[in-house]
Amino acid sequence: MPGPLQGTPIAYHDGKYVVPSDPIIPFIEGDGTGRDIWRASRRVFDAAVAKASGGTRRVTWVETLAGEKAFKETGSWLPQATIEEIKRYRVGIKGPLTTPVGGGIRSLNVALRQILDLYACVRPVRYFDGVPSPVKRPQDLDVIIFRENTEDVYAGIEFEAESKEAERLREFLVTELKATIRERSAIGIKPMSEFGAKRLVARAVQHAIDKRRSSVTLVHKGNIMKFTEGAFRDWGYELARERFARETVTEADLKGGDAGGRVVIKDRIADSMFQQVLLRPREYSVLATPNLNGDFLSDACAAQVGGLGMAPGANIGDGYAIFEATHGTAPKYADLDKVNPGSVILSGVMMFEHLGWDDAARSIVAGLQGAISAKRVTYDLARQMEGATEVSTSAFADQIIGHLG
Ligand code: NAP
């Protein structure tokens, strides 16, 4: 039996975390390559916190089970105890999990998001010097995407073509609402609410204020879907006016003038946004998006800086957050000490920033940059970098620790 837990739980009062110097943080190591990645990441986290705090802070990690390991040990892919534990300790970090095929649970990640109402999917995209990229100036892109995580296609209702439901719905829409729908169509519905849009945009704007980011861009397809995507834009502007009148100014009101330290709120149609991040990346900072657009945009931006395999992610709600790898379990490399732990390590950077431990976060970023600049990197980067030496997952962690800022 493990001894009693040292450490202190993170508390949450009046919309703010109260973080002790010895927080208890649950982790899910993840399936497949998750085991190697977690072992390496944890060493990096502990070294960075010790270095940044001069030994006055440390994390008490507590393992909590999900995925294959949970199924083997408890018969459940996502045990109730895991949910209770994350609720109790509020902030957790996880490696990739196998999505059980034909099991009773659709996706463990989606289940966790829904149970804890983690309504913002947050994906920062920044360039690490030396990483091979498909564009000429990858360093110009430095954005953080806040993607709505509970509505739009995530709450989508779909009916198969020729199903009883689709036929009934078509009948209703055609006769009652005078819609034009071809016979035998499949039908999908995407709900988007004022509540959902505003709480997401509020989080994006607050982040921009806290981190002194220059702008928040509302990304939408409102020229075509006026009452869902268009409303997302309108609700976003409304929220900024209602809640952040002093700290923000709209691009339209600014008329090209100086924002005077205020966060500029602007909007772009989604297709134009994909061009803009390629052609004028420096003009964008925080992006707030509905669910589907954000899904595409996050991966497109990550690819632009060459970092798809190292992209971090977080799912954040009010008083709860889970930080996670964005790639899968890469099962063919499981336990080979081979893959890149960068995605979980950078998710840890986000976690420390979320908890206000910016010094530890900066230290890790410097360490990662140092390892990449030294060209001692895992296979995925080594195969694209001229003159690089391939190192194992654990040796890459050693490199990062050796270069901590
Ligand atoms: P995947 O695990 O992401 O692997 C696809 C390919 O991406 C790998 O073969 C490898 O490319 C590269 N890759 C992934 N992680 C890497 C890392 N850490 N370092 C370097 N390269 C990495 O996708 P998948 O094979 O489609 O999915 C496997 C399982 O993961 C499935 O059960 C899926 O449901 C699950 N999944 C989980 C999550 C999550 O938990 N967040 C997300 C996506 C998928 P090369 O072959 O070119 O080396």
Side-chain angles (χ1 to χ4, degrees), residues 12 29 45 56 64 85 114 116 121 128 137 149 155 160 165 177 188 196 200 209 216 249 261 347 361 374 391 397 400:
Y12 186 74
E29 68 176 13
F45 298 152
T56 59
T64 189
E85 211 141 32
Q114 284 174 347
L116 299 169
C121 176
F128 285 90
R137 294 187 55 81
N149 219 8
E160 196 178 356
E165 294 83 357
L177 303 183
L200 184 274
I209 294 167
V216 174
V249 58
S347 300
V391 300
I400 297 172

Side-chain angles (χ1 to χ4, degrees), residues 205 209 213-218 237 240-241 244-267:
V205 175
I209 294 167
R213 291 271 189 163
S214 57
S215 65
V216 174
T217 305
L218 308 165
Y237 279 120
R241 246 190 341 268
F244 302 102
R246 278 193 316 149
E247 297 98 330
T248 63
V249 58
T250 65
E251 184 180 47
D253 286 344
L254 202 56
K255 297 188 181 76
D258 179 35
R262 289 170 296 176
V263 176
V264 179
I265 310 291
K266 50 192 175 183
D267 77 280

Side-chain angles (χ1 to χ4, degrees), residues 30-31 33-34 37 68 94-101 106-109 113 308-310 315 324-333 338-344 378-381 383 393:
D31 299 325
T33 50
I37 290 174
E68 283 169 357
K94 62 175 275 294
L97 293 174
T98 306
T99 304
V101 177
R106 197 166 53 128
S107 155
L108 296 170
N109 300 312
R113 284 172 211 167
L308 205 49
M310 300 205 305
N315 293 295
E324 64 176 6
T326 55
H327 57 67
T329 59
K332 67 182 175 185
Y333 298 126
K338 184 174 175 75
V339 297
N340 191 338
S343 179
V344 169
T378 46
Y379 83 97
D380 52 315
L381 296 176
R383 70 185 167 191
T393 311

